[in-house]
């Protein structure tokens, strides 16, 4: 059959939602429905010649398997949902990719959504995914009350929280050592002679921001350094707010000599502020940033392994689905300090 005729048949078969069915494939190939089903599902019992005819009919008609029917039979959709904070944040790229790779290895489709740090949007997305019968969820939570998920958990929806713990329910969570990483980063600045160290972080209600602030305070306390309130600033991470906070810390009679930036977005803005500043100020950031090693000086960071977070969470999710996990656990992955120059600058005064 000419290719133009095949293309016309495919277009006609799928126009206005009139999708070809297995009956159409069986009629074209001259076989029974059961034979088509075996070919479509990769089951044995079909001769090579018959399989070839069925496959030619599938290609000609543009037939696609209806997975909805399989869901009704098997009770599984072979799909999982991933709810992130912000799809545009570079931190979530490797995390999402790792979850997708694990899902693919387990024959599942990944559906992504972004909460934009809005608890209501998070709940809306999670419940929309549950309504579409996903088998499991990986959630970076925006809210602190996840009791709305209890009916879904009881119904068998596997769920793992990542980067931040769930609120008011008992569930698996995979975290980085935010407290320990921040403490190590600030201790590194102290070891290079700094005593006036500023901390600029995210909103205090966010678990990671609160833990990193706690790590900052612990390092200062361990060194016997009193912390002035003006050295700490938490809030939204938009550039204008972070710039204002950094400039305030760098001004006055006793400006900070070093800054600990609470996440990658804060670090980028602080780098820009310091580039405009006459006095050299040390900097350590939490999370690595692109091109950090090419700046002068390179940016010293406390790096967390976003890919390992995503992979660990997804593997745990599929172990739940396989029935090999019962008791929820809290898994904390280590961070590492990467020295590049900015965190090793001595105090300017």
């Amino acid at each position: 059959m000419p290719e133009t005729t095949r293309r016309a048949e495919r277009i006609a078969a799928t126009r206005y939602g009139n999708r070809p069915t297995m009956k159409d494939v069986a009629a074209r190939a001259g076989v029974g429905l059961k034979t088509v089903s075996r070919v479509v599902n990769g089951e044995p019992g079909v001769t090579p010649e018959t399989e070839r005819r069925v496959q030619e009919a599938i290609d000609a008609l543009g037939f696609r398997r209806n997975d909805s029917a399989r869901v009704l039979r098997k009770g599984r959709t072979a799909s999982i949902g991933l709810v992130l904070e912000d799809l545009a944040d570079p931190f979530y790229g490797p995390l999402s990719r790792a979850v997708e790779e694990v899902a693919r290895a387990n024959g599942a489709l990944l559906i992504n959504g972004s909460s934009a740090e809005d608890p209501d949007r998070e709940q809306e997305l999670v419940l929309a995914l549950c309504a579409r019968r996903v088998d499991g969820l990986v959630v970076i939570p925006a809210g602190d009350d996840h009791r709305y998920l209890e009916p879904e958990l009881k119904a068998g929806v596997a769920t793992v929280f990542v980067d931040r713990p769930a609120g008011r329910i008992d569930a698996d969570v995979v975290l980085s050592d935010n407290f320990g990483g921040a403490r190590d980063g600030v201790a590194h600045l102290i070891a290079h002679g700094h005593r006036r160290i500023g901390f600029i972080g995210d909103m205090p209600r966010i678990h990671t921001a609160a833990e990193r602030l706690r790590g900052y305070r612990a390092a200062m306390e361990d060194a016997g350094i009193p912390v002035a309130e003006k050295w700490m600033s938490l809030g939204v991470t938009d550039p204008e707010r972070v710039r204002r906070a950094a400039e305030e810390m760098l001004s006055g009679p006793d400006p900070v000599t070093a800054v600990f930036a609470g996440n990658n977005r804060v670090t980028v803005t602080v780098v820009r502020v310091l580039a405009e500043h006459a006095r050299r100020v040390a900097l350590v950031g939490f999370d690595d940033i692109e091109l950090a090693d090419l700046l002068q000086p390179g940016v010293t960071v406390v790096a967390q392994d976003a890919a390992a977070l995503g992979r660990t969470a997804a593997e745990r999710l599929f172990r739940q689905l396989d029935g090999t996990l019962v008791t929820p656990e809290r898994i904390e992955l280590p961070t590492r300090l990467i020295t590049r120059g900015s965190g090793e600058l001595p105090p300017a005064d």
Side-chain angles (χ1 to χ4, degrees):
M1 181 181 297
E3 179 59 28
T4 53
T5 304
R6 289 173 184 250
R7 189 178 300 113
E9 285 188 355
R10 284 197 295 269
I11 293 171
T14 58
R15 184 172 290 158
Y16 307 124
N18 295 321
R19 297 183 177 183
T21 66
M22 284 205 293
K23 284 185 179 180
D24 299 324
V25 174
R28 184 180 180 90
V31 299
L33 272 175
K34 183 60 178 175
T35 300
V36 175
S37 176
R38 285 174 175 159
V39 173
V40 168
N41 293 299
E43 298 172 357
V46 182
T47 66
E49 173 58 24
T50 300
E51 184 177 357
R52 182 189 63 78
R53 295 207 323 269
V54 171
Q55 194 59 55
E56 285 181 353
I58 288 171
D59 294 341
L61 295 173
F63 170 80
R64 294 292 179 270
R65 183 176 67 186
N66 181 1
D67 282 338
S68 297
R70 299 178 78 242
V71 171
L72 292 174
R73 291 197 308 272
K74 299 186 177 182
R76 294 275 289 270
T77 62
S79 64
I80 64 170
L82 171 61
V83 177
L84 302 165
E85 176 210 338
D86 182 0
L87 290 170
D89 189 329
F91 172 75
Y92 293 116
L95 189 154
S96 176
R97 177 68 178 271
V99 173
E100 185 174 30
E101 287 175 351
V102 175
R104 184 179 179 187
N106 285 272
L109 176 71
L110 178 67
I111 306 171
N112 280 342
S114 175
S115 70
E117 202 62 74
D118 180 348
D120 292 335
R121 174 63 178 157
E122 174 211 305
Q123 181 173 340
E124 177 187 333
L125 268 173
V126 167
L127 295 180
L129 289 166
C130 290
R132 284 159 177 76
R133 301 282 300 278
V134 294
D135 299 322
L137 294 163
V138 175
V139 181
I140 290 90
D144 56 8
D145 186 349
H146 295 91
R147 287 176 295 176
Y148 70 84
L149 256 175
E150 287 178 339
E152 311 301 333
L153 296 174
K154 290 176 181 176
V157 178
T159 305
V160 177
F161 288 80
V162 64
D163 191 43
R164 309 167 187 174
R168 308 185 73 173
I169 63 170
D170 195 15
D172 275 317
V173 60
V174 181
L175 308 164
S176 291
D177 182 8
N178 293 284
F179 168 78
R183 183 183 56 192
D184 292 346
V186 175
H188 184 72
L189 290 168
I190 294 170
H192 283 81
H194 296 277
R195 293 297 179 269
R196 299 195 303 273
I197 302 170
F199 176 93
I200 305 177
D202 209 331
M203 293 181 288
R205 67 173 178 79
I206 297 174
H207 171 81
T208 51
E211 284 295 285
R212 292 167 196 176
L213 176 62
R214 194 167 69 88
Y216 161 81
R217 284 183 171 279
M220 299 291 274
E221 184 179 345
D222 290 345
I225 303 172
V227 177
E229 286 299 319
K230 65 180 181 180
W231 295 351
M232 297 177 291
S233 178
L234 281 82
V236 293
T237 57
D238 68 84
E240 185 177 333
R241 201 283 300 182
V242 173
R243 172 176 285 276
R244 188 166 57 250
E247 289 174 344
E248 288 175 0
M249 289 180 186
L250 295 169
S251 62
D254 294 308
V256 298
T257 63
V259 174
F260 185 84
N263 65 29
N264 55 358
R265 286 166 290 187
V266 173
T267 301
V268 169
T269 301
V270 172
V271 166
R272 291 193 171 107
V273 172
L274 295 184
E276 302 164 3
H277 199 69
R279 185 167 48 89
R280 298 195 83 178
V281 175
L283 171 65
V284 173
F286 202 109
D287 292 333
D288 210 351
I289 60 172
E290 193 173 3
L291 305 181
D293 56 330
L294 299 182
L295 297 172
Q296 290 298 326
V299 181
T300 296
V301 298
V302 175
Q304 53 180 332
D305 193 338
L309 284 170
R311 183 169 55 254
T312 304
E315 288 173 348
R316 192 156 186 90
L317 185 79
F318 281 98
R319 287 178 64 193
Q320 284 186 28
L321 289 170
D322 290 342
T324 56
L325 292 179
V326 178
T327 305
E329 290 185 22
R330 178 188 178 105
I331 300 171
E332 197 166 81
L333 303 183
T335 59
R336 63 191 181 102
L337 183 70
I338 303 176
T339 58
R340 298 192 178 111
S342 71
E344 294 70 62
L345 295 173
D349 54 359

